[in-house]
């Protein structure tokens, strides 16, 4: 929404003679205090073929402007007929009412203007040289064409103020420091919880592994009896006799078996 809004334009003297002043009663609203004045201009389009015949009838600076609805009357002199081609004095032309702030136009209102003689006889057979005193103008006030232009903000207080102290603000007082500390603390707690969970899971895995070892059947116990004892009677008698013979032989030649070679043994490293 614009800081300045045009609420209405009322043409006070319409219709009027061609040489009479233009009188516009302008009503607008200002939403904020303006630092500079508003510049209003009224331009008469002298010819539809070239803008070199355009005339600025008058300009007006309005200000200081209070906040709220404002109204004023803008008066402008009639155009100089010497600067208008004779063929373009009669007929339809345009007047432009514009408003600018700080040299930048932000609103334009265009009105069609019909210039004709006061009598039907002159209109039916107009003289080669226009008779200005007998020409009447009629501004089509009920059919304006309004154009708005976007410009930079009107007042300086819409611009954020400078904050040099923000550059020297301590790091521990930065915006969001507390939130960042809380997030870091939550992350540490979550990480500790995750580590504890992994440790518990690892311990449980070790228990399962140990349980599997304890529950496994010992190797070589396929011949255990139903009550869990080993049946020694199933051992081969030949094996027992062989062990007895070996024991007797060791007893007979014990001295030879106990001889020790004084030379050191050579160990091959692979």
């Amino acid at each position: 929404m614009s800081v300045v809004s045009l609420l209405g334009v009322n043409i006070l003297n319409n219709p009027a003679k061609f040489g009479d002043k233009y009188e516009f009663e302008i009503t607008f609203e200002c939403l904020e205090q303006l630092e500079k004045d508003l510049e209003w201009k009224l331009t008469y389009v002298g010819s539809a073929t070239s803008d070199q015949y355009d005339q600025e009838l008058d300009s007006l600076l309005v200000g200081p402007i209070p906040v709220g609805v404002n109204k004023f009357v803008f008066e402008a002199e009639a155009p100089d007929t010497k600067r208008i081609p004779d063929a373009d004095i009669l007929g339809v032309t345009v007047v432009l009412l514009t408003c600018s702030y700080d040299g930048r136009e932000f609103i334009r209102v265009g009105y069609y203007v019909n210039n004709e003689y006061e009598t039907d006889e002159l209109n039916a057979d107009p003289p080669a040289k226009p008779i200005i005193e007998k020409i009447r103008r009629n501004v089509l006030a009920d059919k304006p064409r309004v154009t708005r232009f976007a410009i930079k903000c009107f007042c300086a207080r819409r611009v954020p103020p400078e904050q040099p102290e923000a550059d020297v603000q301590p790091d521990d007082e930065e915006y969001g420091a507390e939130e960042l500390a809380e997030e870091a603390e939550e992350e540490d707690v979550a990480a500790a919880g995750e580590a504890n969970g992994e440790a518990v899971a690892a311990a449980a895995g070790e228990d399962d592994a140990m349980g599997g070892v304890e529950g496994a059947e010992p190797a070589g116990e396929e011949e255990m009896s139903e009550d869990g004892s080993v049946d020694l009677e199933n051992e081969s008698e030949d094996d027992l006799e062989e062990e007895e013979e070996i024991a007797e032989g060791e007893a007979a030649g014990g001295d030879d078996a106990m001889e020790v070679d004084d030379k050191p043994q050579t160990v091959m490293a692979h």
Side-chain angles (χ1 to χ4, degrees):
M1 186 175 182
S2 177
V3 177
V4 178
S5 300
L6 183 63
L7 301 181
V9 178
N10 184 25
I11 303 177
L12 301 179
N13 56 340
N14 189 51
K17 290 184 176 294
F18 185 88
D20 291 346
K21 291 183 178 181
Y22 287 87
E23 297 181 6
F24 292 86
E25 184 183 63
I26 301 172
T27 305
F28 66 94
E29 183 180 15
C30 185
L31 301 181
E32 296 186 8
Q33 186 69 40
L34 301 181
E35 291 185 348
K36 299 182 180 180
D37 298 341
L38 294 177
E39 183 180 14
W40 297 84
K41 292 181 181 180
L42 186 64
T43 303
Y44 184 89
V45 178
S47 175
T49 60
S50 177
D51 58 359
Q52 65 176 334
Y53 301 108
D54 292 355
Q55 298 183 42
E56 182 181 311
L57 302 182
D58 204 349
S59 63
L60 177 66
L61 292 176
V62 179
I65 300 173
V67 176
V69 178
N70 299 271
K71 181 186 294 185
F72 70 99
V73 176
F74 182 20
E75 294 184 356
E77 297 293 334
D80 184 0
T81 57
K82 296 178 181 179
R83 298 173 56 185
I84 304 174
D86 291 343
D88 293 326
I89 291 180
L90 295 174
V92 179
T93 186
V94 174
V95 290
L96 299 174
L97 177 66
T98 62
C99 185
S100 302
Y101 180 79
D102 196 18
R104 292 167 291 180
E105 179 182 336
F106 67 92
I107 193 167
R108 177 185 300 175
V109 184
Y111 293 94
Y112 287 109
V113 180
N114 185 29
N115 298 315
E116 61 180 2
Y117 284 108
E118 297 175 345
T119 63
D120 295 336
E121 292 79 7
L122 290 173
N123 287 324
D125 187 15
K129 183 67 175 179
I131 305 174
I132 304 302
E133 295 78 10
K134 295 184 178 182
I135 296 176
R136 178 181 60 184
R137 70 166 188 252
N138 184 19
V139 181
L140 303 181
D142 57 341
K143 295 181 180 180
R145 182 170 182 176
V146 181
T147 306
R148 294 177 176 84
F149 305 94
I151 63 173
K152 295 181 180 179
C153 62
F154 287 87
C155 52
R157 68 176 180 173
R158 282 179 173 261
V159 179
E162 296 182 359
Q163 296 178 340
E165 66 276 5
D167 296 334
V168 297
Q169 186 178 21
D171 293 339
D172 57 353
E173 296 182 3
E174 289 182 355
Y175 177 77
E178 297 181 358
E179 290 78 358
L180 293 176
E182 293 178 358
E183 291 180 0
E185 184 177 355
E186 292 178 358
E187 291 179 357
D188 294 341
V189 173
E194 183 177 354
N196 293 336
E198 292 178 355
V200 172
E206 292 178 359
D207 293 341
D208 293 341
M210 293 297 292
V213 172
E214 293 177 356
E217 295 182 356
E221 294 187 357
E222 291 84 354
E223 299 180 357
M224 291 182 66
S225 63
E226 295 181 358
D227 58 355
S229 61
V230 179
D231 189 1
L232 299 178
E233 296 179 356
N234 292 333
E235 293 184 357
S236 174
E237 296 179 357
D238 296 336
D239 295 337
L240 295 176
E241 292 177 357
E242 183 178 356
E243 291 178 0
E244 292 176 357
E245 291 177 357
I246 293 173
E248 292 176 357
E250 291 178 353
D255 295 337
D256 296 335
M258 294 296 295
E259 291 181 358
V260 179
D261 191 355
D262 295 336
K263 296 180 180 181
Q265 297 182 4
T266 301
V267 179
M268 300 296 295
H270 299 281

